[in-house]
Amino acid sequence: QVQLAESGGGSAQFGGPLRLSCTASGNPWKKYCMAWFRRAPGKEREGVAYRENDGTTTYADSVKGRFIISGDVAKDTLDLQMNSLTPEDTAIYYCAHVPKIPSATCDAVLYSNWGRGTQVIVSS
């Protein structure tokens, strides 16, 4: 059973950076998809950034060019570097994992393992 725990959330200023980290246990690092999702107040959960075990990354249009997803197998972490933050980025951010499904892309699969989330608040 893969277990995920997010950290690094908090308050950030408009235009500023914030880095989230997800610590993973339970041997998640075989063929996998990992991702960051977010749920903003009053909105549905949306996928923000995805990473496959081969290093392939995909981003939502709303964060492309501002957010960077990276994985460190040695440290068992999946990070999300967020830059040029705006109040629209305010949300609870979740780390997610699923074993890689052949021929499916990481932005088109259902994730089976989830962290509890970390709150990000961006003030204007």
Side-chain angles (χ1 to χ4, degrees):
Q1 179 78 21
V2 173
Q3 295 184 324
L4 306 170
E6 303 92 343
S7 61
S11 297
Q13 293 293 317
F14 182 94
L18 198 64
R19 189 177 184 90
L20 305 182
S21 186
C22 172
T23 300
S25 61
N27 194 23
W29 302 112
K30 293 184 178 180
K31 294 183 179 181
Y32 66 85
C33 286
M34 292 191 75
W36 286 94
F37 288 76
R38 68 185 181 187
R39 187 191 300 275
K43 296 185 178 180
E44 294 187 356
R45 186 178 63 197
E46 66 168 336
V48 172
Y50 306 85
R51 189 178 192 278
E52 188 175 334
N53 57 281
D54 67 359
T56 301
T57 57
T58 307
Y59 297 92
D61 288 342
S62 58
V63 306
K64 200 172 294 183
R66 300 190 298 122
F67 289 13
I68 301 171
I69 187 171
S70 61
D72 190 329
V73 176
K75 297 181 179 179
D76 281 335
T77 58
L78 179 80
D79 291 347
L80 184 68
Q81 177 66 43
M82 305 186 293
N83 301 313
S84 302
L85 287 164
T86 74
E88 287 68 39
D89 296 313
T90 294
I92 299 174
Y93 284 73
Y94 300 89
C95 177
H97 167 278
V98 68
K100 181 69 168 69
I101 299 172
S103 75
T105 58
C106 290
D107 59 347
V109 295
L110 291 177
Y111 284 75
S112 53
N113 300 296
W114 294 84
R116 299 182 69 176
T118 186
Q119 175 77 59
V120 172
I121 299 173
V122 183
S123 57
S124 57

